[in-house]
Amino acid sequence: MKAITYTHPGEPSVLEITEVAPPTLKDGEVIIKVLAAGINRPDIMQRKGLYPPPPGANPRLGLEVAGEIVQLNANSKFKRGDRVCALTNGGGYAQLCSVPEEQCLPWPQGFDAVQAAALPETFFTVWTNLFEIGKLSSQDSVLIHGGSGGIGTVAIQLAHQFGAKVYTTVGSEEKAKCCLTLGATHAIDYKHDDFVEKIKALTDGKGVNLILDIMGASYFNKNIKALDYDGRLVIISFQGGVKAQDVNLATMVGKRLTITGSTLRPRSSDFKGYIAQSLYKNVWPLLSNKKVMPLIHKVLPFECVQHAHELMESGSHSGKIILDLSHF
């Protein structure tokens, strides 16, 4: 089968289509004929050699796919030909991908392959961090950094649908307008405004109850200032570095803050299956009814994977970038 591979870490130019052996079916897994695959920031980090896959994971790129099941075990809950999207353990940039069946979900009603491929990585991540770890409730206010990205556009929609008041940071007026249409109450342009001052002004000096952070070190102290008493900070990425300087622990203690981090990829299939079922129960009806939709920035042919990575790294996109494999 055809798959995207690279022989050494580097720029997008290291990616190429090569012929590799197809996956073999293992107990508890299904094999999916991939029709579309999502591009995610962990793919970029892995390509650069900065995010090695966990033990036992497929070393090739690709964490989310949509397609048709072509092989399965006799005791599977699925059947051959079922259309599913899946959070993979790697190897999604390929014509065929093996996935633990607990990590598969049916396409929401009315969805096509491209839309379905835009779901798993972002929706699994957002549900895990906003709702399971962050304990978001309808009484909360939440600040979502990077509101126009794949994670941000989903987080805004879900937080809004579940009744929270949503603030977000963005890098342009165009991205701000996008986030407002998705359900954000205010979009703060971090290039022109201090988000701490803006949040304080918008919340009568209190701050927000919850922050979903993709920046890490560069925003850490500001996030502490932007949180209300008993606030929660959930860190899911380190685009601004991993080592924060001059952290004021007294402020954290005095405000009774909870600070935590999370990464989904090393978690067990049982845990990912639990998140899948939570999504199916709580979010899939919203998708089928079009109350929540993945925002898709661009769909590119499989052969244009280098350009897809360049686009992701540029930060100019709003929403998901998808590879189309349907022509194979």
Side-chain angles (χ1 to χ4, degrees), residues 82-317:
D82 279 351
R83 293 185 166 187
V84 296
C85 57
L87 182 70
T88 81
N89 295 333
Y93 293 6
Q95 289 179 289
L96 296 169
C97 183
S98 59
V99 185
E101 71 169 57
E102 300 102 309
Q103 296 169 209
C104 300
L105 285 165
W107 296 3
Q109 183 177 346
F111 272 52
D112 59 23
V114 166
Q115 292 169 320
L119 300 178
E121 173 69 13
T122 47
F123 278 79
F124 274 69
T125 298
V126 170
W127 188 264
T128 299
N129 290 284
L130 270 191
F131 295 92
E132 294 291 334
I133 296 174
K135 306 297 182 185
L136 183 70
S137 77
S138 60
Q139 306 304 312
D140 284 333
S141 57
V142 58
L143 172 60
I144 296 164
H145 287 304
S148 65
I151 295 291
T153 54
V154 170
I156 289 170
Q157 291 184 78
L158 289 184
H160 175 68
Q161 284 295 320
F162 283 88
K165 191 166 189 177
V166 184
Y167 305 100
T168 189
T169 55
V170 295
S172 70
E173 183 178 349
E174 181 182 3
K175 291 181 177 181
K177 291 178 180 178
C178 170
C179 291
L180 293 174
T181 64
L182 296 175
T185 303
H186 293 278
I188 303 164
D189 188 338
Y190 64 83
K191 293 182 178 179
H192 297 100
D193 295 308
D194 184 316
F195 73 80
V196 177
E197 293 179 0
K198 279 288 186 180
I199 288 295
K200 290 290 188 179
L202 292 167
T203 60
D204 297 323
K206 295 179 180 179
V208 293
N209 306 115
L210 175 62
I211 297 177
L212 183 66
D213 179 52
I214 61 171
M215 296 304 296
S218 64
Y219 274 15
F220 188 82
N221 289 317
K222 286 187 173 184
N223 284 334
I224 298 304
K225 295 176 182 177
L227 282 168
D228 195 1
Y229 284 86
D230 299 304
R232 293 96 69 198
L233 169 61
V234 182
I235 302 169
I236 62 171
S237 185
F238 305 104
Q239 294 180 33
V242 298
K243 294 183 179 181
Q245 303 295 320
D246 301 321
V247 176
N248 190 334
L249 297 178
T251 301
M252 294 163 53
V253 172
K255 293 173 75 173
R256 302 183 299 274
L257 303 181
T258 299
I259 299 170
T260 186
S262 170
T263 182
L264 185 58
R265 192 173 185 187
R267 300 296 294 267
S268 69
S269 289
D270 286 344
F271 177 80
K272 293 171 185 175
Y274 163 72
I275 297 299
Q277 290 311 305
S278 296
L279 287 170
Y280 189 69
K281 176 183 177 181
N282 296 290
V283 176
W284 251 233
L286 297 174
L287 291 164
S288 293
N289 292 327
K290 305 298 187 291
K291 292 183 178 180
V292 172
M293 287 293 289
L295 181 64
I296 297 171
H297 178 80
K298 196 160 190 177
V299 181
L300 291 164
F302 191 49
E303 299 88 341
C304 295
V305 63
Q306 292 183 9
H307 177 53
H309 273 230
E310 290 168 354
L311 181 58
M312 171 67 76
E313 289 190 77
S314 75
S316 62
H317 61 291

Side-chain angles (χ1 to χ4, degrees), residues 21-32 54-60 69-78 89-90 97-102 104 269:
T24 56
L25 184 65
K26 298 178 182 178
D27 289 343
E29 293 187 347
V30 296
I31 293 180
I32 299 169
N58 189 319
R60 291 196 294 268
I69 293 178
V70 293
Q71 293 185 49
L72 70 170
N73 290 284
N75 59 349
S76 175
K77 64 182 179 181
F78 295 105
N89 295 333
C97 183
S98 59
V99 185
E101 71 169 57
E102 300 102 309
C104 300
S269 289

